[in-house]
């Protein structure tokens, strides 16, 4: 019966297999994945054979020199995003500063945050794509567009860092305070991240170890002497140390970090100080227009301890509430008197100021003063739209009625104002005339303090962040300090001197939690409605609970890391044992082939790589034609090499289209090995039969003195092919045959 050698598996079975494969595998496969990451990284979307790199040569020299720039841009952009996220407490002040320069109110802080986030996401994506390409063994080639953008990212980040170090140094103080609050959680999250990173690290280190063992096993004595200068094994060991040692040092530091860690939010519950009191910053500016009676009433409704405001003096000597140095942002002066919108508020008469609308900008404007502010109810919206600029006396009346403390910044009038030199005394007389209890006034201005003490001895004198000796000399028992400067300038000294502290401006819950855990008596805030609902500090934990979580996290992480390393070591050892066992049979085969070839002056360059699979190659006209005989002939598949004798055959036997089964006893001795499917694993009986076929064939070669072709598939080259690619070359078997010598 004729045998069809080219047929490997039935066509019906192939169709059935394709039919049973899920539809998603026809679209999203390994080839699609590799093409996608190459296209995103190198902008080459054409599907082609990937260029694999050799060990130690992941990319060209130019790519290796540019890759650190990508890492630098990633680190700079991520650090900028982290700094700006932690500065969320200052977003409103940042928007106000931009408004002064541009005259346009917008959420510039959110725009900057989004822009920095895009830069960080872009650099992170390129870095991840590069790691994936290295994982796949594909050479790196970053497109010139990406390189230009990476350099642009570095320039932009450098510009922002220059601004931070030059003009906004206090932003670094905010980042340091946030690390104090989040330190326990950052510590535990870092340990979890190290466990995740241990998987690729263990794979790489064990792979280097396995490669070193294989090189040591394959080297002969002479090779060891020749490799003393280059010392490949030493380089592999050095690479292992360079990669693994920093990882384990960082892990050790994380394990021991809590021994030197200090976080104010880690303390016993019975030692926790009372909740700080609130001063409504310009009232409750998220619930009503700032520095209006509605805003102060909303602050009183949410439990404000005191009311904070800013005072200007009109041209006709009436103190009123206003923060900015012009009326553009909080009034409708652009509609009423656009030419005077930049005029200082103290140059207007009270009759004109009292006609301006001070709430329409808050209730009807499309852009609210605070990002994420809750929408107003219909009643509050109507009430806010009718607010006017209030006098100082109106605020004092509300404070006297509700028994709330009042603290304010007193702004001096314009240079040509009639009260330029006497505005402090005038304001003190207005306060005394309002009949408010003197102890409800927290006097903050430092001008003419001695006169104020004599004229109004009941006022509570509030100082700035001054040395303790000066505060004690002036008999000041309370200070109003910026939170960024207080935590770094002798807070313990103020406590030791029994000086009460009020912090401004505290809007974020994490910052309020830090003030609470640090025993701060009171804070000034815009976000009173949120902070007032907190029953305990955020991110608060007891030392015992933190100690338990710390030890548990260290033990679990150590167990997982050891298990990951052991798994990769076991997997590499199993593969190494298999390669060594197969290499023994290959060496014996190569020895027998060299012995047989020496008699006929045939080539002796038979590869000694371990044989992973021996199967039959279909018979073709080209394989049996003497005209194609050369010293070394390669099939289209580069992993299979055919070795032929130097001496040409004297006769060429005709080859018909249908090749009959060879009959024993004829001149040709042919040994066929059963065909293996590409998807099936190699079983032991098949390997044994293949080995027997090789030895029989080699013995036949020794007897006859010549052979026609031997095809051996290299296992390492086969494993480089994608596992899901079902090409005809993977399923082709190896055919071993020997022809009689020309003398026969």
């Amino acid at each position: 019966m004729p045998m069809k050698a080219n047929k490997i598996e039935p066509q019906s079975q192939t169709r059935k297999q394709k039919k049973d494969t899920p539809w998603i595998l026809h679209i999203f496969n390994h080839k699609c994945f590799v093409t996608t990451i190459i296209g995103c990284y190198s902008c080459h979307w054409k599907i082609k054979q990937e260029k694999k790199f050799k060990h130690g040569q992941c990319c060209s020299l130019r790519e290796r020199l540019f890759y650190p720039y990508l890492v630098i841009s990633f680190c700079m952009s991520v650090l900028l995003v982290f700094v700006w996220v932690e500065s969320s407490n200052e977003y409103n002040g940042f928007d106000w500063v931009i408004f002064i320069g541009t005259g346009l109110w917008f959420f510039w802080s959110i725009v900057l945050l989004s822009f920095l986030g895009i830069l960080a996401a872009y650099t992170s994506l390129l870095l991840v794509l590069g790691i994936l390409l290295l994982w796949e063994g594909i050479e790196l080639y970053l497109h010139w567009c990406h390189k230009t953008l990476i350099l642009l990212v570095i320039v932009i980040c450098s510009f922002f860092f220059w601004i931070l170090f030059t003009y906004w140094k206090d932003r670094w103080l905010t980042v340091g305070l946030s690390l104090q609050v989040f330190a326990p959680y950052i510590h535990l999250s870092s340990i979890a991240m190290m466990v995740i990173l241990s998987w690729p690290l263990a794979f790489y280190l064990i792979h280097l170890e396995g490669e070193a063992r294989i090189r040591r096993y394959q080297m002969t004595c002479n090779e060891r002497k020749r490799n003393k200068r280059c010392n490949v094994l030493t380089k592999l060991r050095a690479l292992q140390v360079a990669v693994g040692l920093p990882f384990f040092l960082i892990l050790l530091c994380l394990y021991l970090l809590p021994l030197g860690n200090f976080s104010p939010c880690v303390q016993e519950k019975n030692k926790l100080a009372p909740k700080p009191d609130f001063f409504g910053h310009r009232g409750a500016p998220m619930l009503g227009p700032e520095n209006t009676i509605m805003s102060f009433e909303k602050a009183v409704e949410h439990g404000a301890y005191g009311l904070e405001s800013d005072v200007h003096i009109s041209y006709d000597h009436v103190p009123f509430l206003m923060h900015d140095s012009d009326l553009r942002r909080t009034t409708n002066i652009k509609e009423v008197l656009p030419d005077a919108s930049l005029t200082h508020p103290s140059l207007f008469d009270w009759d004109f100021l009292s006609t301006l609308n001070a709430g329409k900008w808050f209730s009807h404007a499309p852009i609210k003063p605070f990002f994420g502010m809750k929408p107003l109810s219909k009643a509050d919206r109507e009430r806010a739209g009718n607010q006017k600029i209030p006098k100082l006396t109106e605020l004092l009346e509300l404070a006297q009625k509700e028994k709330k403390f009042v603290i304010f910044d007193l702004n001096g009038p314009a240079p040509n104002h009639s009260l330029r030199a006497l505005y402090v005394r005038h304001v003190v007389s207005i306060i005394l005339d309002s009949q408010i209890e003197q102890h409800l006034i927290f006097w903050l201005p430092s001008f003419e303090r001695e006169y104020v003490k004599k004229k109004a001895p009941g006022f509570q004198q509030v100082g700035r962040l001054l040395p303790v000796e000066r505060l004690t000399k002036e008999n000041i028992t309370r200070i109003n300090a910026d939170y960024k400067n207080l935590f770094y300038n002798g807070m313990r000294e103020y406590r030791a001197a029994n000086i009460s502290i009020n912090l401004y401006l505290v809007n974020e819950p994490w910052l309020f939690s830090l003030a609470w855990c640090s025993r701060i008596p009171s804070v000034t805030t815009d976000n009173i409605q949120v902070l007032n609902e907190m029953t305990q500090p955020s991110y608060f934990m007891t030392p015992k609970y933190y100690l338990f979580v710390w030890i548990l996290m260290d033990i679990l992480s150590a167990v997982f890391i050891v298990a990951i390393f052991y798994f990769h070591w076991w997997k590499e050892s199993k593969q190494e044992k298999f390669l060594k066992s197969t290499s023994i049979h290959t060496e014996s085969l190569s020895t027998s082939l060299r012995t047989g070839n020496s008699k006929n002056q045939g080539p002796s360059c038979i590869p000694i790589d371990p044989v992973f699979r021996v199967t039959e190659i279909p018979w073709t006209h080209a394989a049996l034609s003497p005209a194609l005989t050369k010293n070394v002939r390669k099939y289209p598949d580069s992993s299979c090499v055919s070795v032929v004798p130097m001496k040409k055959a004297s006769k060429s036997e005709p080859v018909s289209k249908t090749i009959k089964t060879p009959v024993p006893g004829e001149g040709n001795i042919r040994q066929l090995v059963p065909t293996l499917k590409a998807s099936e694993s190699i079983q032991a009986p098949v390997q044994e039969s293949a080995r027997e076929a090789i030895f029989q064939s080699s013995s036949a070669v020794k007897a006859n003195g010549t052979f026609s072709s031997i095809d051996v598939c290299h296992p390492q080259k086969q494993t480089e092919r994608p596992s899901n690619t079902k090409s005809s070359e993977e399923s082709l078997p190896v055919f071993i045959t020997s022809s009689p010598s020309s003398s026969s």
Side-chain angles (χ1 to χ4, degrees):
M1 179 180 292
M3 181 183 61
K4 295 182 180 180
N6 291 329
K7 188 176 181 181
I8 299 176
E9 62 180 3
Q11 187 175 2
S12 60
Q13 187 175 357
T14 305
R15 293 179 179 177
K16 183 179 180 181
Q17 186 177 1
K18 292 182 179 181
K19 186 177 181 181
D20 295 340
T21 305
W23 63 270
I24 194 170
L25 294 180
H26 293 284
I27 304 175
F28 302 101
N29 51 20
H30 184 266
K31 190 70 175 181
C32 179
F33 166 73
V34 172
T35 304
T36 302
I37 59 177
I38 293 176
C40 295
Y41 191 84
S42 305
C43 297
H44 294 162
W45 295 97
K46 186 177 180 180
I47 300 178
K48 60 181 182 180
Q49 184 69 25
E50 303 86 3
K51 189 177 181 181
K52 303 286 185 177
F53 64 80
K54 299 180 181 179
H55 181 73
Q57 299 179 355
C58 62
C59 52
S60 62
L61 178 61
R62 182 176 59 182
E63 295 297 324
R64 289 199 296 268
L65 293 177
F66 190 84
Y67 199 77
Y69 288 96
L70 175 59
V71 178
I72 292 173
S73 64
F74 166 76
C75 296
M76 294 178 68
S77 59
V78 170
L79 181 59
L80 269 180
V81 171
F82 175 74
V83 171
W84 195 241
V85 167
E86 296 303 312
S87 302
S88 58
N89 191 81
E90 308 295 326
Y91 283 176
N92 188 258
F94 177 80
D95 296 338
W96 177 72
V97 171
I98 299 298
F99 171 79
I100 293 176
T102 61
L104 177 63
W105 181 264
F106 194 71
F107 298 130
W108 302 108
S109 56
I110 305 301
V111 172
L112 181 59
L113 178 63
S114 303
F115 176 71
L116 296 178
I118 292 173
L119 296 184
Y122 172 70
T123 55
S124 303
L125 179 61
L126 288 182
L127 192 64
V128 171
L129 290 176
I131 294 174
L132 291 177
L133 289 175
L134 292 176
W135 184 272
E136 293 292 334
I138 301 173
E139 288 191 8
L140 296 181
Y141 174 74
L142 189 63
H143 196 266
W144 65 269
C145 293
H146 290 315
K147 293 180 180 178
T148 305
L149 292 177
I150 288 299
L151 296 178
L152 184 61
V153 168
I154 294 177
V155 172
I156 294 174
C157 293
S158 302
F159 171 74
F160 280 111
F161 276 119
W162 175 76
I163 293 178
L164 287 175
F165 283 108
T166 306
Y167 300 103
W168 290 342
K169 293 182 180 180
D170 54 357
R171 294 296 181 271
W172 300 107
L173 304 180
T174 304
V175 173
L177 294 176
S178 67
L179 292 178
Q180 291 186 19
V181 177
F182 301 115
Y185 299 91
I186 295 176
H187 166 235
L188 300 176
S189 301
S190 300
I191 294 178
M193 184 60 64
M194 295 297 286
V195 174
I196 298 174
L197 292 177
S198 65
W199 182 272
L201 180 72
F203 174 81
Y204 186 66
L205 293 179
I206 301 300
H207 178 70
L208 291 178
E209 179 68 20
E211 185 174 352
R213 290 181 181 179
I214 293 176
R215 286 177 179 270
R216 188 185 301 111
Y217 177 78
Q218 291 180 347
M219 282 196 309
T220 62
C221 297
N222 296 331
E223 287 176 334
R224 287 195 181 95
K225 294 179 180 179
R226 288 197 304 268
N227 291 334
K228 281 184 178 179
R229 294 184 179 179
C230 61
N231 210 347
V232 179
L233 296 179
T234 304
K235 292 182 179 179
L236 292 174
R237 295 299 184 190
L239 186 57
Q240 284 180 303
V241 173
V243 175
L245 184 59
F247 174 83
F248 288 105
L249 289 179
I250 294 174
L251 187 63
L252 181 61
C253 293
L254 290 176
Y255 283 163
L256 303 178
L257 182 63
L259 298 178
N261 180 29
F262 172 74
S263 177
C265 293
V266 179
Q267 57 179 290
E268 299 290 347
K269 288 185 178 180
N270 55 3
K271 296 182 179 180
L272 185 63
K275 186 177 181 179
D277 297 319
F278 299 106
F279 276 88
H281 185 238
R282 308 172 196 170
M286 292 187 182
L287 303 176
E290 66 179 55
N291 282 325
T292 61
I293 297 300
M294 176 185 177
S295 179
F296 291 115
E297 289 178 349
K298 289 290 185 180
V300 171
E301 291 178 8
H302 287 82
Y305 172 77
L307 304 175
E308 190 273 344
S309 185
D310 307 275
V311 177
H312 282 275
I313 301 175
S314 67
Y315 196 74
D316 52 352
H317 305 172
V318 177
F320 63 96
L321 307 182
M322 180 62 60
H323 173 266
D324 296 358
S325 57
D326 56 62
L327 305 173
R328 292 177 298 165
R329 184 173 66 90
T330 57
T331 66
N332 62 338
I333 192 172
K334 286 186 177 181
E335 300 176 359
V336 177
L337 200 64
D339 295 336
S341 59
L342 297 177
T343 306
H344 196 274
S346 62
L347 299 179
F348 293 99
D349 292 332
W350 175 247
D351 292 338
F352 172 75
L353 293 173
S354 61
T355 61
L356 296 177
N357 188 298
K360 202 171 182 181
W361 68 276
F362 180 86
S363 59
H364 293 81
I367 302 176
K368 304 299 179 183
F370 294 90
F371 182 78
M373 190 181 71
K374 294 182 179 180
L376 300 174
S377 62
K378 185 177 181 180
D380 289 342
R381 184 183 177 88
E382 294 179 358
R383 184 184 177 189
N386 297 321
Q387 293 297 304
K388 303 294 184 180
I389 300 176
K391 297 180 181 180
L392 174 61
T393 55
E394 296 180 41
L395 175 61
L396 298 177
E397 291 176 3
L398 178 62
Q400 176 65 32
K401 177 183 177 182
E402 301 293 341
K403 302 300 179 182
K404 300 297 181 182
F405 295 96
V406 176
I407 184 173
F408 54 84
D409 288 314
L410 183 58
N411 298 288
N416 55 349
H417 198 278
S418 58
L419 290 178
R420 176 67 177 176
L422 302 172
Y423 70 96
V424 175
R425 301 187 179 190
H426 179 70
V427 171
V428 171
S429 63
I430 294 293
I431 294 174
L432 294 177
D433 293 341
S434 65
Q435 301 300 319
I436 189 175
E437 299 177 20
Q438 292 189 15
H439 74 279
L440 295 179
I441 301 297
F442 283 6
W443 185 261
L444 183 60
S446 58
F447 310 107
E448 299 190 40
R449 193 178 289 276
E450 295 299 326
Y451 168 81
V452 175
K453 289 181 180 179
K454 294 178 181 178
K455 188 69 173 178
F459 288 1
Q460 298 190 47
Q461 299 296 321
V462 181
R464 303 288 184 177
L465 199 61
L466 302 173
V468 177
E469 294 79 9
R470 181 178 175 182
L471 296 175
T472 305
K473 183 180 180 180
E474 296 180 1
N475 197 22
I476 296 176
T477 60
R478 184 183 294 269
I479 61 173
N480 187 51
D482 187 355
Y483 74 91
K484 295 184 289 296
N485 298 322
L486 175 68
F487 284 99
Y488 296 95
N489 292 277
M491 185 174 61
R492 296 181 180 179
E493 298 178 2
Y494 293 113
R495 287 178 181 171
N498 294 324
I499 296 177
S500 182
I501 302 172
N502 179 72
L503 286 184
Y504 72 88
L505 182 65
V506 179
N507 292 333
E508 293 297 319
W510 71 264
L511 188 56
F512 179 71
S513 301
L514 178 62
W516 190 346
C517 296
S518 301
R519 300 176 177 271
I520 300 298
S522 60
V523 298
T524 300
T525 179
D526 293 324
N527 201 12
I528 188 174
Q529 71 279 2
V530 174
L531 302 184
N532 188 47
E533 296 178 355
M534 295 176 60
T535 57
Q536 70 173 10
S538 302
Y539 316 103
F540 177 82
M541 64 175 66
T542 61
K544 292 182 179 180
Y545 178 76
Y546 181 46
L547 180 63
F548 169 75
V549 177
W550 167 39
I551 296 177
L552 179 63
M553 195 71 178
D554 288 353
I555 295 175
L556 291 178
S557 62
V559 170
F560 274 109
I561 291 175
V562 171
I564 289 172
F565 272 84
Y566 178 78
F567 170 76
H568 286 288
W569 175 82
W570 170 80
K571 187 177 180 181
E572 188 72 19
S573 300
K574 188 177 179 181
Q575 185 177 4
E576 181 183 352
K577 290 179 180 178
F578 176 76
L579 292 177
K580 288 182 178 180
S581 62
T582 54
S583 64
I584 297 175
H585 298 284
T586 308
E587 290 176 0
S588 62
L589 171 62
S590 111
T591 303
S592 62
L593 291 177
R594 288 194 186 101
T595 305
N597 290 334
S598 61
K599 297 181 180 179
N600 295 292
Q601 299 179 355
S604 60
C605 53
I606 306 299
I608 61 172
D609 296 317
V611 179
F612 181 75
R613 184 178 63 184
V614 180
T615 52
E616 62 175 357
I617 291 181
W619 298 350
T620 57
H621 291 75
L624 301 177
S625 176
L628 300 178
T629 305
K630 294 181 180 179
N631 290 338
V632 177
R633 185 182 70 256
K634 294 185 177 180
Y635 285 98
D637 186 0
S638 60
S639 63
C640 298
V641 180
S642 178
V643 182
V644 298
M646 295 288 295
K647 187 177 181 180
K648 295 184 180 180
S650 58
K651 296 180 182 181
S652 58
E653 297 179 3
V655 181
S656 59
K657 295 183 179 180
T658 304
I659 300 174
K660 298 183 179 181
T661 306
V663 180
E666 293 182 6
N668 293 339
I669 302 175
R670 300 173 180 175
Q671 182 67 32
L672 300 179
V673 181
T675 303
L676 296 178
K677 297 180 181 178
S679 60
E680 294 178 352
S681 62
I682 303 176
Q683 304 297 332
V686 180
Q687 292 182 350
E688 293 299 330
S689 61
R691 292 184 185 131
E692 292 178 1
I694 294 173
F695 287 120
Q696 291 177 8
S697 177
S698 62
S699 61
V701 170
K702 289 183 69 175
N704 296 328
T706 185
F707 57 92
S708 62
S709 63
I710 299 178
D711 295 298
V712 180
C713 295
H714 199 289
Q716 296 178 355
K717 295 181 179 180
Q718 290 179 355
T719 54
E720 289 178 357
R721 302 177 186 176
S723 59
N724 61 341
T725 305
K726 299 181 178 180
S727 62
S728 61
E729 296 177 356
E730 291 186 351
S731 60
L732 287 179
V734 176
F735 170 71
I736 303 174
T737 181
S738 62
S739 60
S741 60
S742 58
S743 60
S744 61

